[in-house]
Amino acid sequence: MHRYRFLLLRPLQLIPVLFGISAISFVLVRAIPGDPARVLLGTRSTPEALARIHAEYGLDQPLPMQYLLFLKHLFDGELGRSIIYKTDTLTLLLERLEPTAMFILGSVLLSVLLALPLATWAARSRGGVADHVIRLLTTAGLGLPPFWLGIMLIILLSITWRLFPVSGYGDSLGEKLYHLFIPCLTAALSLSAVLTRSLRSALIREMRADYFVAALARGQSERYIFWRHVMPNAIVPIINLLAVNVSWLIGGSVVIESVFGIPGLGQLLIKAIFSRDYMVVQGVVLFFALSTVLVNLLADILTVFIDPRIKL
Amino acid sequence: MTALTSTQISMGQRVTAPLRRLSRDLSQRTTLKIGLAIVLGWVLVALLAPWISPYDPVYQDLTTRLAPMSWAHPMGTDNFGRDILSRVIYSARVDLQICLLGVIFPFIIGTVLGTFSGYIGGWCDAIVMRLIDIVLAFPFLVLMLAIITILGPGLSSFFIAMALVGWVSYARLVRARVLVLKQSDFVLAARSLGYSHSRIICKHLLPNVLTDAVVFSMSDVVLVLLNGAAISYLGLGVQPPVAEWGVMVTEGQGFITTAWWLTAFPGLAIVLLAVGFSFIADGLSENRGGTQ
């Protein structure tokens, strides 16, 4: 049972971080010059509406009180109203969640499918031609701007070869996956560069370990040792790397959803920034930060269950 | 015996043939050399822009709109008849500025905070570490966009946002190094000689820590360049009609079905500069005995 004490402790460590996230989100709207009520209501605001917002957010009270009120609203799930969409921000977020979640899951899956064989090949032919070529490609992959790569893939796969739709998002599950393929590939090509590089060095590190030579000396085949011992050991740190990169993927979703016109949270954020829909900006930013924290927490828990040697 | 040796050769580990080692050493140095050559090449292009670019980057020639590649326009022209090559050349000035200023502010803030936090420890360290945790909880680009929302679109907002978000990685790196160095013999000796804290920090710790930070900044600059271009692409960074690679990609996106050269060349320019920096970062970390 001692091993699982972290299940209680780890979330407790997150409390200061959660307060920090809420404080930054709170400051976000207050830092905009001018009367926050006018900022929230837009230009066409009646005196009655302004008074209502003043009362609702406690704008005539001192800042710490306003923050406490903000926290209370948060716990009630009230993220304010969108001035553009005329709906509750939380409802809006939940409506737009699906495309972004599918995009991130698809990108993670594709990048792992790309990185596993590449890293294996590079590690097993270390110092050889394949290794050098893969290293060169992954170095170049790190420098690919996702928005540009996306457009190049559209030109090649959608316009020249007519294999995939140029942009948008379908209705049925099959259509959605079909529309999401190039966006996911775009993100996966960049992400797999990072994954391949670190999985390759993890594999090489494991192949240098004493147990590897010992197993060879016992007459076990290289292939068997690689898949039975080397790979499981090397793959554990990759889980954490993936979790860290979910944060990069969320940022990437903002850009890539704009390129492909996917109606997800990222596009919602950009449109909200341009239309000064501050409650939506605040809501999306808050939501993205909470998701990042949650994914990293889950990854930490997962690694402890997979690898009993790790203690948190 | 032969079986084991052949296995070892196939795994390429303990038995490293002299020829292979030579090629690897050479390839490591070439990585660094190629990287330096690419980046210096771009710096030259940016400095010499007025002399080497064939046209004025904002000159509109409406008779040659969307012209494909030719001797007169090696990269074609855009929808206003502006020469793409000239715009790509002039963009180098803006994008190199993004790289430089986008790295230098986080570098300074992060190094200073990391050094103090690691050296002083206690509550100072606790505050800096909690701040780092909070900033890291936000996806990098999302937090930058949030700050730009407050400050309004533009390049100066980008630099402020970059400074507010980017210092975190430098602070973490430097703090970790300082924590180790603080306990090392030469610092303890300096303390016992009665040197002041400021002298130890400036003369003994910083020189050691700066090398790590500089090596890291070479891989960080790739991120800065890609983020700067992405934010300009989204319309929140560099504003048209200023030529910048990200802006050029946005402007060309409406013409991808007919004129691919509007988006392809500015993007290739970003990739080339980014790869240059990546090569430098790779070469530096290898020469310092980092991961192979």
Side-chain angles (χ1 to χ4, degrees):
Chain A
M1 258 339 270
H2 190 69
R3 262 188 66 208
Y4 300 113
R5 208 177 52 179
F6 76 92
L7 277 179
L8 283 173
L9 286 179
R10 187 70 178 76
L12 283 181
Q13 290 170 351
L14 288 178
I15 290 175
V17 173
L18 292 179
F19 270 106
I21 290 174
S22 65
I24 289 184
S25 312
F26 171 75
V27 168
L28 192 68
V29 171
R30 307 298 140 123
I32 295 159
D35 179 4
R38 203 171 279 282
V39 165
L40 293 181
L41 286 171
T43 41
R44 290 187 304 166
S45 43
T46 59
E48 297 83 54
L50 282 175
R52 188 172 50 80
I53 291 289
H54 268 280
E56 192 179 331
Y57 294 98
L59 290 178
D60 35 11
Q61 291 172 32
L63 268 182
M65 284 306 292
Q66 289 186 30
Y67 176 62
L68 286 181
L69 205 62
F70 170 75
L71 282 185
K72 184 185 168 296
H73 283 308
L74 266 190
F75 278 112
D76 296 341
E78 283 175 34
L79 292 171
R81 279 177 69 83
S82 157
I83 51 167
I84 301 296
Y85 299 90
K86 311 278 180 213
T87 50
D88 196 45
T89 301
L90 188 64
T91 332
L92 202 58
L93 289 185
L94 294 176
E95 275 171 17
R96 301 297 194 95
L97 176 60
E98 190 206 85
T100 306
M102 297 243 296
F103 161 77
I104 288 174
L105 277 178
S107 308
V108 167
L109 203 68
L110 264 181
S111 61
V112 171
L113 283 179
L114 283 170
L116 266 182
L118 282 178
T120 308
W121 194 14
R124 296 189 67 163
S125 64
R126 183 168 162 257
V129 181
D131 187 24
H132 280 301
V133 171
I134 290 171
R135 220 190 78 189
L136 204 69
L137 285 178
T138 51
T139 309
L142 293 180
L144 286 175
F147 62 93
W148 176 76
L149 182 63
I151 294 174
M152 291 302 111
L153 288 174
I154 294 178
I155 291 177
L156 186 70
L157 299 176
S158 308
I159 295 171
T160 313
W161 292 347
R162 300 184 180 282
L163 291 174
F164 291 95
V166 173
S167 70
Y169 191 61
D171 294 318
S172 64
L173 182 67
E175 257 181 58
K176 286 174 185 172
L177 292 178
Y178 184 48
H179 277 85
L180 279 176
F181 181 74
I182 310 187
C184 290
L185 185 65
T186 307
L189 284 176
S190 301
L191 184 55
S192 62
V194 182
L195 292 184
T196 306
R197 284 163 73 98
S198 62
L199 184 57
R200 174 188 169 275
S201 35
L203 286 172
I204 287 174
R205 200 168 47 242
E206 292 297 327
M207 276 154 67
R208 280 188 187 144
D210 289 341
Y211 73 80
F212 186 81
V213 186
L216 272 183
R218 279 201 300 275
Q220 289 176 341
S221 80
E222 200 187 295
R223 179 182 289 269
Y224 173 80
I225 308 166
F226 188 87
W227 291 109
R228 178 69 184 79
H229 301 290
V230 172
M231 188 55 98
N233 275 320
I235 208 92
V236 177
I238 299 301
I239 295 172
N240 268 307
L241 186 69
L242 266 176
V244 170
N245 273 292
V246 162
S247 149
W248 178 86
L249 271 174
I250 289 176
S253 79
V254 177
V255 179
I256 293 174
E257 283 177 14
S258 296
V259 176
F260 291 91
I262 303 166
L265 289 169
Q267 217 191 22
L268 182 67
L269 176 65
I270 292 300
K271 284 189 174 163
I273 290 176
F274 277 112
S275 54
R276 303 181 166 272
D277 200 351
Y278 294 114
M279 276 319 203
V280 175
V281 175
Q282 187 186 51
V284 178
V285 170
L286 196 63
F287 187 83
F288 276 158
L290 290 179
S291 320
T292 312
V293 171
L294 193 69
V295 167
N296 280 293
L297 176 69
L298 287 178
D300 280 352
I301 292 174
L302 196 63
T303 38
V304 174
F305 275 102
I306 293 176
D307 191 341
R309 292 170 303 179
I310 296 175
K311 283 199 181 75
L312 285 175
Chain B
M1 194 57 206
T2 28
L4 192 63
T5 319
S6 72
T7 314
Q8 285 175 335
I9 289 174
S10 76
M11 305 306 287
Q13 283 171 17
R14 268 151 231 94
V15 185
T16 316
L19 200 71
R20 182 172 288 171
R21 195 166 57 205
L22 184 79
S23 91
R24 207 177 61 204
D25 281 352
L26 201 69
S27 86
Q28 280 170 15
R29 287 206 196 97
T30 12
T31 324
L32 187 60
K33 275 186 209 155
I34 295 174
L36 279 172
I38 294 173
V39 173
L40 287 178
W42 273 119
V43 172
L44 274 180
V45 165
L47 289 176
L48 301 177
W51 293 278
I52 56 173
S53 79
Y55 299 89
D56 183 333
V58 289
Y59 173 70
Q60 302 185 359
D61 181 2
L62 295 176
T63 55
T64 56
R65 294 172 60 218
L66 299 173
M69 288 160 290
S70 62
W71 284 112
H73 299 282
M75 292 185 183
T77 62
D78 69 4
N79 51 317
F80 294 111
R82 295 177 296 195
D83 181 51
I84 306 259
L85 175 64
S86 308
R87 289 177 70 72
V88 167
I89 289 174
Y90 268 91
S91 297
R93 297 186 148 195
V94 183
D95 282 275
L96 281 172
Q97 191 197 338
I98 289 179
C99 292
L100 186 70
L101 295 180
V103 163
I104 211 141
F105 295 128
F107 184 99
I108 294 171
I109 299 174
T111 310
V112 169
L113 281 179
T115 310
F116 279 108
S117 148
Y119 191 78
I120 299 171
W123 59 268
C124 173
D125 191 34
I127 290 177
V128 173
M129 285 312 281
R130 287 296 82 74
L131 244 133
I132 290 176
D133 285 346
I134 293 165
V135 174
L136 281 180
F138 288 89
F140 196 90
L141 196 66
V142 172
L143 188 53
M144 286 197 62
L145 289 174
I147 296 170
I148 292 174
T149 310
I150 302 173
L151 301 173
L155 202 52
S156 48
S157 304
F158 169 76
F159 290 132
I160 297 174
M162 199 64 227
L164 287 175
V165 182
W167 63 273
V168 172
S169 2
Y170 291 93
R172 281 223 298 190
L173 178 91
V174 167
R175 173 184 173 272
R177 282 287 290 159
V178 168
L179 281 182
V180 176
L181 287 175
K182 197 165 78 163
Q183 301 299 329
S184 64
D185 290 340
F186 74 94
V187 173
L188 295 178
R191 278 301 294 153
S192 58
L193 282 170
Y195 290 178
S196 67
H197 289 300
S198 59
R199 179 168 177 182
I200 291 174
I201 289 178
C202 296
K203 297 256 165 165
H204 299 277
L205 287 179
L206 273 181
N208 276 295
V209 162
L210 278 181
T211 350
D212 289 288
V214 168
V215 171
F216 174 74
S217 72
M218 283 299 124
S219 54
D220 187 46
V221 72
V222 179
L223 188 86
V224 172
L225 173 65
L226 295 187
N227 275 331
I231 284 172
S232 298
Y233 167 80
L234 292 170
L236 295 163
V238 178
Q239 300 295 314
V242 175
E244 190 273 340
W245 296 326
V247 172
M248 290 179 71
V249 173
T250 320
E251 290 176 336
Q253 202 184 351
F255 303 91
I256 48 170
T257 45
T258 49
W260 54 269
W261 51 91
L262 263 64
T263 44
F265 291 116
L268 276 178
I270 301 177
V271 176
L272 190 59
L273 181 57
V275 166
F277 281 121
S278 293
F279 276 1
I280 295 180
D282 257 25
L284 283 179
S285 63
E286 269 163 13
N287 284 356
R288 291 164 50 82
T291 51
Q292 295 152 12

